[in-house]
Amino acid sequence: LTDEGIRFAFGIPGTHNIELYDALAASPVRPVLVTDEQSASFMADAVWRASGELGCVNLVPGAGLTHALSGIAEAFMDTIPLLVLGCGIRRDTGKAYQLHDVDQLAIARPVTKATFLVERGEDLYATIRRACAVARAGAPGPVMVEVPVNLYLFRHEVTAWDAPPPVVTPDPEPADLERAAALMNATGARPLLYFGLGAAGAGAELVRLAETLHAPVATTFQGKGVFPETHPLFLWNGFGRSAPPFAQDVAGRCTATLAIGCRFGEVGTGSYGCTPPQPLVHVDIEPSVPGRNYPAALAVTADAGEFVRALLPRLTPRAHDDGSLERDIREGHQGAWRDWLAAVPGPKVTPAHLLRSLQETFGPETIFTTDSGNGTFLAMECLRLESPGRFLAPVDYSCMGYAVPAAIGAKLARPGAPVIALAGDGAFLMTGLELLTAASQRVAVAVFVLRDRELAQIAQFQQTALSRKTASELPDYDVAAIVRGVGVECLTLERDSAVGDVLQRVRDTIAAGRPVVVDTSIDYSRKTFFTAGVVRTNLGRLPWPDRLRFIARAVSRKIFG
């Protein structure tokens, strides 16, 4: 673990791995005790997202793994590398019905890139190194290594580590580069650029690409920040029906799409509610991705950075027009902000006002973690980020409970950066007790519990589509009492006029090295563009008889109750 640069191992010790924990106590690897193994996997996930360092999930057999599976699956679907270090039962006794005995590798296999069983002590070192290499290579993802407990009990002479040659992604084919350039350079072509997290390796050259083509740039949710969002060509996180009308209009005027490092997944496309302008050039490091969900005129398997660097010299710089593209984008963003802030100051906390104030108070290095739900889409729409690794959200697996433990993992990995968790009040009930971990480890995160006393995203879908809510309204609970019980200060934020003062107190508290919670009375009365777009998209693809039935039911309930 030390030789792999792994600084943190998250988990709960058990009878099977106490020897490992004893060794960690004398090592550079910091064991972090969590309250639940689901949080361990979220923390390790966030270490990578925030810093690019591999995190380790350290698990006891059986229940340790099954508790952690949600976070492992999140990492798998969001292409985040993890080392899942799972202890196994003894394999040297021949005895059956051992404590925690389940087929762990069979359980983990569907949500990992690879699984490894160490059968001999001398293979421990090489297997761990090989697993870490697999986790990072190509399209990253979690890997699991099972170490039988008997290998922890005894000493071994490990075999020498012959590091395999690094995995090299083939250079982009010259023919693909020439074809892509021809499509982008074609007379009258107006490309749309669409970047995902996989494009992050291209760095500043994404800006050169956009400026050379004079093209609007949309990103996926995972890709938020890979292109600076204050740039005049930044359009939106998405471009289909789940984006605001101005973004749909700008994208609709494009006549080609260059998509890099993205998969066109369900969440990012607003339930497949976008149509990439054709022809589509789709570039991804994973061969099965290009053209999978939308037909591609050119499907390219390549590393994003290598592709962009090789493509740029082949492009013809596009003459700027009268500035209408930048004007349309600028006025579109300004209009969205006017609408968002129209009710400020209000009797509750307006999300856009809170999120803008957070960025103004804590600065561009701030890392935001979110949960699955309304807070994720509000943050996606309102935050303006300059670089990747600042928006940590459970996207494709969409697992509730991510925000609080992810904030702890991110802060451990990036202690100099402010870390803000935006936790829904339903998700907070799942993993909010990890504040005990933050307090005991002196991890100074700020957790905003967004209180509307319902599962907002689902409640809005229900109210919009069905005109009633079922099992989505939460029983009320006392946030302050819970967090005081684990030794964390709790502030209350009830209205827009108090935002400035409360944020200053938050800033002072985390500057003193202490975590803090803010019980925030959030105003969710305005739907996000994402929520409204997804409802329209899914209604619109129903057959007409069912569409009319859905509409009639909703209208009837609205009128008659």
Side-chain angles (χ1 to χ4, degrees), residues 16 88-102 149-150:
H16 291 73
I89 62 168
R90 293 194 69 151
R91 292 178 178 265
D92 61 343
T93 65
K95 299 297 185 183
Y97 316 120
Q98 294 185 44
L99 174 66
H100 299 322
D101 184 9
V102 293
V149 62
N150 48 285

Side-chain angles (χ1 to χ4, degrees), residues 37 59-69 72 84 104-105 107-108 144:
E37 288 93 344
L59 302 175
V60 298
L65 173 63
T66 53
H67 285 183
L69 274 178
I72 297 168
V84 182
Q104 297 192 105
L105 298 185
I107 292 171
M144 178 172 175

Side-chain angles (χ1 to χ4, degrees), residues 433-492:
L433 286 181
E434 289 302 337
L435 286 164
L436 179 64
T437 306
S440 64
Q441 302 272 342
R442 293 190 63 81
V443 181
V445 296
V447 176
F448 286 75
V449 182
L450 307 178
R451 300 291 303 281
D452 68 326
R453 293 165 175 78
E454 62 184 15
L455 304 175
Q457 186 71 23
I458 300 305
Q460 286 188 2
F461 280 142
Q462 289 176 327
Q463 189 62 45
T464 301
L466 307 170
S467 290
R468 71 181 180 197
K469 304 172 187 177
T470 304
S472 57
E473 296 175 292
L474 294 172
D476 201 7
Y477 62 93
D478 190 337
V479 173
I482 292 172
V483 301
R484 279 199 303 267
V486 295
V488 175
E489 181 181 1
C490 185
L491 308 176
T492 300

Side-chain angles (χ1 to χ4, degrees), residues 112-442:
T112 53
K113 280 185 70 176
T115 57
F116 301 83
L117 173 63
V118 185
E119 298 184 357
R120 305 184 309 161
E122 53 264 41
D123 296 331
L124 273 166
Y125 184 83
T127 303
I128 296 294
R129 299 297 302 271
R130 188 176 302 113
C132 292
V134 170
R136 295 185 181 99
V143 298
M144 178 172 175
V145 180
E146 180 176 318
V147 181
V149 62
N150 48 285
L151 299 188
Y152 283 146
L153 295 175
F154 307 115
R155 299 178 64 84
H156 314 279
E157 292 296 329
V158 299
T159 54
W161 165 243
D162 294 323
V167 176
V168 178
T169 304
D171 291 334
E173 292 290 339
D176 288 340
L177 291 165
E178 294 299 334
R179 175 67 174 147
L183 291 170
M184 297 300 108
N185 291 333
T187 302
R190 295 190 302 275
L192 169 70
L193 301 181
Y194 187 50
F195 300 146
L197 181 60
E205 284 159 325
L206 296 177
V207 174
R208 282 186 57 204
L209 178 63
E211 292 176 348
T212 299
L213 293 172
H214 192 225
V217 177
T219 76
T220 66
F221 298 175
Q222 288 276 51
K224 188 172 178 64
V226 301
F227 186 86
E229 296 182 342
T230 55
H231 193 283
L233 292 172
F234 170 70
L235 185 62
W236 202 256
N237 303 117
F239 59 88
R241 295 188 189 95
S242 59
F246 85 89
Q248 296 181 50
D249 290 343
V250 170
R253 296 198 296 268
C254 293
T255 59
T257 305
L258 175 55
I260 303 176
C262 62
R263 298 180 296 187
F264 288 101
E266 181 175 7
V267 179
T269 59
S271 198
Y272 312 110
C274 68
T275 301
Q278 293 291 334
L280 167 64
V281 178
H282 192 177
V283 183
D284 197 86
I285 200 169
E286 178 61 44
S288 63
V289 168
R292 176 64 178 84
N293 279 343
Y294 292 94
L298 178 61
V300 181
T301 301
D303 172 79
E306 295 297 328
F307 177 83
V308 173
R309 284 186 284 274
L311 179 66
L312 278 168
R314 293 171 164 85
L315 296 176
T316 302
R318 190 177 305 278
H320 286 209
D321 55 18
D322 57 2
S324 60
L325 173 60
E326 288 88 344
R327 184 187 65 244
D328 289 347
I329 293 173
R330 180 179 64 254
E331 291 179 353
H333 283 288
Q334 290 171 346
W337 278 104
R338 278 196 302 272
D339 290 346
W340 285 335
L341 300 177
V344 175
K348 292 185 177 182
V349 178
T350 304
H353 176 53
L354 172 63
L355 291 164
R356 174 176 275 188
S357 300
L358 283 167
Q359 289 204 276
E360 291 172 347
T361 301
F362 293 98
E365 291 300 308
T366 305
I367 297 169
F368 294 89
T369 68
T370 73
D371 263 303
S372 171
N374 215 36
T376 291
F377 305 114
L378 283 166
M380 179 273 295
E381 293 182 354
C382 296
L383 294 175
R384 295 292 173 264
L385 305 180
E386 293 300 299
S387 55
R390 305 290 186 274
F391 180 70
L392 281 53
V395 177
D396 285 330
Y397 198 61
S398 199
C399 199
M400 290 177 66
Y402 181 85
V404 174
I408 296 170
K411 185 67 175 179
L412 286 168
R414 295 277 309 282
V419 179
I420 307 294
L422 303 169
D425 48 2
F428 183 78
L429 291 171
M430 296 182 173
T431 55
L433 286 181
E434 289 302 337
L435 286 164
L436 179 64
T437 306
S440 64
Q441 302 272 342
R442 293 190 63 81

